[in-house]
Amino acid sequence: MTLTIDLPNDLFEKLAGLAHTQGVSVEECARQELGERLSRERAIVAASEYVLRKNAELYRRLAQ
């Protein structure tokens, strides 16, 4: 699947610099960064849900 996005020049330059440092194309670098960001977001949501489930009884008692 193809996605085309417009980036401000400064963001593109940062991405291009990171890609150069990693020895990958700008497109590959963008895919990697997006994948890592989405993985972190999923991990944060999963951790939050775990804490809420684990402490549900405590929260119920505190609310009384």
Side-chain angles (χ1 to χ4, degrees):
M1 180 167 266
T2 300
L3 171 68
T4 302
I5 58 172
D6 292 320
L7 297 175
N9 287 338
D10 63 323
L11 184 57
F12 179 81
E13 292 301 321
K14 289 177 186 176
L15 183 62
L18 182 60
H20 177 75
T21 300
Q22 294 178 353
V24 297
S25 68
V26 173
E27 293 82 2
E28 180 59 28
C29 186
R31 276 191 292 273
Q32 290 172 358
E33 291 298 312
L34 181 57
E36 289 173 14
R37 170 69 187 258
L38 293 173
S39 292
R40 282 193 307 271
E41 292 297 322
R42 282 190 297 268
I44 290 168
V45 168
S48 298
E49 289 172 350
Y50 170 78
V51 168
L52 289 173
R53 279 192 314 273
K54 185 173 190 254
N55 295 318
E57 178 62 19
L58 172 62
Y59 298 145
R60 187 188 64 74
R61 287 184 202 166
L62 288 172
Q64 292 178 349

